[in-house]
Amino acid sequence: MALVEETRTSKIKVQPENLHHLKATPETVHWGYFHPNIKPALRVKSGDLIQAEAITHHAGDAPELMMDETVKAIWEGVQPEDRAPGVHIMTGPIYVEGAEPGDMLEVRYFRMVPRCNYGSNLAANWGHLYQEFDEKERVTIYELDPNANTAHALYAYDFEGKYLIPGTVTHCPECDREPALVGVRVPARPHLGTAGVAPAIDERVSTIPPGLHGGNIDNWRIGAGATMYYPVQVKGGLFSIGDPHVSQGDGEISGTAIEASLDVLFQIVLRKDFKFPSPLLETPDHWIVHGFDEDLNQAMKNASLDMLHLLTEHQELSRNDAYSLMSVATDFGVTQVVDGTQGIHVKIDRGIFPEKGVVKDID
């Protein structure tokens, strides 16, 4: 199946007791928030593998295509008043034995498989050009072609009113469907929009904005073959995944990606041998640092400072050399502008360094 990517798994020898299956049920999800006091849905040791279900909160945009019995059970089991203050369905949390504040969780994503071959994109009231579209919201339903690794629009419809309630269910057979993007195919690149550890705050923290705990980073590169490093903030880490996507561009300008449920295989490794101030992404070719703020200029500065930290602390460059390298060899991009807290990412090619881009004390 072309949508399944596997990397590194051939190098991992794991005993059956070290492979855990985490189903998404009303008892194993928390809808719209992170919190340090959520009862763990799973306890693991460093190095364990987890096969987990990530369910999109947009399954109700085409329930006949995107909701099976498991998904319906979550809608029925988690009451609307408990879907707050954010919107994303998070599977977890996962308690990592021995994890303490100041450690890092290295999360290696190996495989992301669509639960069904359909997804939804919403031109939302929080979209960047909402005013320019006369404050109209619109849903486009996409179908995946696993063999071609692409997605194409099936139909679109205008959403009446405002899309405000998490888990909204629209019965589109009763609405006016219209053709959309006829003949257009977009690349499918399954990834997690939201994942992270519990913040050290004794209240519900919304899943909508990204932050130092991870959260709604919305970087499409967080897919199979990528590794994320999350700074642990509470005992056990309490790691959760959600907001699964099958395609998104940098910016996520209309308000959402193609939202679609995924089955995710990943490994969690507890790291006590290095620290990093923010969520750090490793891909086969790049290191990618993230910066967040309500002001995009400040997010740019935050990303710049953390890339400076990466180059000086882990590649042992001088600040002057690192600053020069950042100007001539790093690429900055807008991750998203629709989550309240906006995101900038900056990537650098791992292959330009003498040791093939292996960062000191990380690999």
Side-chain angles (χ1 to χ4, degrees), residues 54-57 89 191-194 242-246 258-262:
I55 305 299
T56 176
H57 58 294
I89 302 170
H191 62 279
L192 292 175
T194 306
D243 191 24
H245 300 164
V246 293
I258 299 180
E259 313 281 327
S261 300
L262 297 174

Side-chain angles (χ1 to χ4, degrees), residues 35-37 199-204:
H35 195 291
N37 293 333
I201 300 174
D202 191 21
E203 62 183 35
R204 289 190 175 196

Side-chain angles (χ1 to χ4, degrees), residues 95-112:
Y95 185 101
V96 182
E97 293 186 14
E100 299 286 348
D103 297 339
M104 302 289 289
L105 292 188
E106 176 182 334
V107 181
R108 303 172 178 175
Y109 295 110
F110 295 126
R111 191 165 61 218
M112 299 196 184

Side-chain angles (χ1 to χ4, degrees), residues 20-30 38-44 50 52 90-95 238-240:
H20 307 269
H21 295 271
L22 182 55
K23 300 289 186 180
T25 71
E27 294 71 37
T28 62
V29 302
H30 45 107
I38 303 174
K39 180 182 178 181
L42 180 68
R43 299 178 75 98
V44 302
I50 301 101
M90 305 302 298
T91 304
I94 299 169
Y95 185 101
L238 297 181
F239 179 73
S240 302

Side-chain angles (χ1 to χ4, degrees), residues 96-164:
V96 182
E97 293 186 14
E100 299 286 348
D103 297 339
M104 302 289 289
L105 292 188
E106 176 182 334
V107 181
R108 303 172 178 175
Y109 295 110
F110 295 126
R111 191 165 61 218
M112 299 196 184
V113 182
R115 186 182 186 90
C116 63
N117 288 328
Y118 301 94
S120 169
N121 167 255
L122 174 65
N125 59 80
W126 58 88
H128 197 59
L129 299 179
Y130 178 58
Q131 302 295 333
E132 284 75 6
F133 280 83
D134 299 322
E135 299 188 356
K136 181 181 70 173
E137 297 184 87
R138 187 171 176 84
V139 173
T140 304
I141 300 300
Y142 286 81
E143 182 177 15
L144 306 178
D145 182 343
N147 295 318
N149 204 24
T150 60
H152 62 274
L154 274 184
Y155 59 86
Y157 61 90
D158 290 339
F159 183 83
E160 298 297 329
K162 269 195 174 182
Y163 200 111
L164 297 175

